[in-house]
Amino acid sequence: MKKTMMGNYAASWGAQLSRVQVIAAYPITPQTLIVEKLSDIVADGELKAKFIKVESEHSAMAACIGASSTGARAYTATSAQGLALMHEMLHWAGLARLPIVMANVNRAMAPGWSIWADQNDSLSQRDTGWMSIFSSSAQDILDSTIISYKVSEKVLLPTLISFDAFFLSHTVEVVDMPEQELVDKFLPPYKPEYKMDVNDPRSFGALTDEQYYYEFRYKMQEAMDQAIDVIKETCREYEEITGRHYDLIHAYRCEDADMIMVTSGTIAETTNVTVDTLREEGHKVGNLQIRYIRPYPKKDILAAIGGAKKLAVIDRNISPGYSGIFSQELKSALYNEIDIPVRSYIAGLGGRDVKIEDIKDIAYNALEHDEPNDLIWKGVKK
Amino acid sequence: MIEIRMHGRGGQGAVKASFVLAEAAFQGGKYVQAFPRFGVERRGAPVEAFTRIDDKPVQIRSQIYYPDGVIVLDPTLTEVVDVTKGLKKGGWILINSNKNPEEYDFGDEYNVYIVDATDIAVQNKLGSRSAPIVNTAIVGAFAKITGLVEIDAVYKGIENSIPRFQEENKKAAKQAYDSIKSE
Amino acid sequence: MAIKFQKSDKPIKIEGAHDMPPMPAALGSMLFNKTGSWRNVRPVIDYDKCIKCFICWKFCPEPAIKIVDEKPVIDYDYCKGCLMCVEECPKDAINEELEGK
Ligand code: SF4
Ligand code: SF4
């Protein structure tokens, strides 16, 4: 059934439809509405779940870890400083191989105190062993939540679903809600093979010397590799019941493109529209939206780039002292594989609006120059 | 696609108005997007909200700079903010006011419409005299001006987005709809 | 090879990653790794003094104190001789005895 809702509520609905059993969260703007809604849903008895109020995000993740260890489907949501405070626990959830799903509203790290869109918060958690998605619409948020539980529970890795503050969190749009029965069929209850069980007591996460730790890391990498196929297969299954197509990347008009823009989050959707305008002007451009940064879909990306002659990456994030993170990742994927120039652009940090005109400017700049560039800060007031 | 900018004052419900407008258009079979100007809202300070309406899913994710139409919820705002900023040539301005359209001078490039949404809200006991809730009257007037949605879609939108006083709100929308004289 | 998660009371030979569960979780080594062998001082409960407050039971980190017939009973297979129980007993009801004497 189609409904209008804010991106935040799409996250709440995604969790409800996934029949999460434990929610532990601490409020932070612009995430607050997600958990407020869930606490209402739980209080009204519409979702049989335990809502745990905690004193910090660190505790929220700790509670999710506890719940997930016992085999419960656990959910939380956060943003920026809250996600940063979880950092230690994120590594724990990853290495304990717990299929927790979390929403993160991409918000700029403070100071300056900001509540606006910026990807640095979730990208700072890139190496914690979480699968990591950047959603680009309210529909994407809802669908990704449901899909992620299935994927996470198969490969035993947690998933982080990030989406831009306000551009998605507080924007009302049309969302097609799948029927609960349909979701139930797609996503059966979580029955873990490995769990904390009073009838089979054992210790988890105990001292692990170098004879084994190394192998646990290896196994995590193996799971990430397998996840690529599992994600594809799960997305296909989801498409069968909903008609909506998802993948690790979304290539728009890339097949015959001479130049491909590489984007993520809400900028990706605005770029799709921009590509149409640029095509009308006669420029053969495409847009490659990176949805998953972990596992990194290297093969898919190389295939989508195909015979393009140039790439232009737009990053709403920055690794200070080097460059945008999507740009770095892309360059390392291309190395030894495809030898074409990559031009790197920063845009939209701290929620600065990225308009069609801005993306056009970036495209024109990239079309005009054939050499790889020093980082260009689109629209920075120097 | 049409893009609408809403001007109001903090606490006056401009954001809610953009949502109700979107809901009405959605009930009329359109794809919509509605969002506030991303800032920190203060009571009484000028605020903006936006609505996009299209026949296909809306993919543009930036704010609206060149609206097709502008809605002004508070008549005093026209003196404080440039409500026509970026407004496309031939665009329309809908003002909640009890004055005559002729009393507003925005040049000949725009079509000015007036609806006395405050009076309609008060008549229908929506909100209080000092803080009337004008959303639904505004949406009714919008439906008439643009012809984008039928009044029935506005009713459905009200049913879906306003939990209380639905009948009063529908009446307000209809009254506003009827009060707009096509030029 | 199948991943082991079944507990075993004999040492499991782990050849590599594929014998291991995905996460660090015990596979039953405590069933044969008896920590009692670490002990050089043995705590012995004097039941005449014991008031059955079970503070020792609560504090034993192993935990090697069980409650049997409403009395604290030390399991010497696992008591590692840390003497936390001796320290915490409010009635000084637990005596220390050197092992191997
Ligand atoms: S702490 Fe001492 S008194 Fe209390 S139950 Fe143990 S041995 Fe007995
Ligand atoms: S000595 Fe330590 S391990 Fe042994 S029973 Fe006392 S507290 Fe437990």
Side-chain angles (χ1 to χ4, degrees), chain B residues 73-157:
Chain B
L73 295 181
D74 184 322
T76 62
L77 277 171
T78 55
E79 290 144 34
V80 198
V81 288
D82 178 7
V83 296
T84 59
K85 191 173 176 209
L87 182 59
K88 283 185 193 146
K89 269 190 191 149
W92 49 265
I93 308 166
L94 169 62
I95 308 173
N96 168 24
S97 165
N98 56 10
K99 293 190 194 163
N100 287 318
E102 299 76 51
E103 291 179 55
Y104 291 95
D105 182 18
F106 296 115
D108 345 315
E109 286 176 355
Y110 312 118
N111 300 314
V112 180
Y113 299 90
I114 298 290
V115 62
D116 196 347
T118 301
D119 185 50
I120 294 174
V122 169
Q123 280 179 40
N124 288 286
K125 302 196 172 56
L126 297 171
S128 64
R129 196 162 280 275
S130 57
I133 297 169
V134 299
N135 296 341
T136 42
I138 285 288
V139 176
F142 162 84
K144 181 65 166 288
I145 291 168
T146 61
L148 265 174
V149 286
E150 304 288 328
I151 190 74
D152 284 345
V154 175
Y155 294 160
K156 270 205 238 163

Side-chain angles (χ1 to χ4, degrees), chain A residues 321-365:
Chain A
Y322 196 20
S323 72
I325 293 163
F326 282 92
S327 166
Q328 295 168 32
E329 299 255 329
L330 180 70
K331 285 178 188 167
S332 87
L334 293 176
Y335 192 74
N336 282 348
E337 303 273 0
I338 298 180
D339 187 15
I340 52 172
V342 177
R343 293 184 62 84
S344 307
Y345 301 85
I346 300 292
L349 301 188
R352 177 88 51 97
D353 205 2
V354 180
K355 310 183 284 289
I356 288 186
E357 297 83 69
D358 300 322
I359 300 170
K360 266 185 163 176
D361 284 351
I362 289 173
Y364 294 145
N365 180 283

Side-chain angles (χ1 to χ4, degrees), chain A residues 95-98 156 193-195 200-206 208 211-213 215-216 218-220 222, chain C residues 2-8 12-28 30:
Chain A
L95 280 161
R97 305 291 299 277
L98 299 170
L156 297 181
E193 202 182 330
Y194 313 100
K195 66 168 182 178
D200 179 23
R202 64 174 82 228
S203 65
F204 282 84
T208 307
Q211 283 304 315
Y212 300 110
Y213 186 91
E215 280 69 25
F216 282 121
Y218 173 79
K219 287 176 83 77
M220 183 183 242
E222 222 176 28
Chain C
I3 291 168
K4 292 195 174 83
F5 201 59
Q6 222 60 49
K7 280 187 206 158
S8 160
I12 302 170
K13 196 153 185 278
I14 292 177
E15 308 266 359
H18 296 283
D19 300 333
M20 291 159 58
M23 71 289 291
L27 298 177
M30 285 304 283

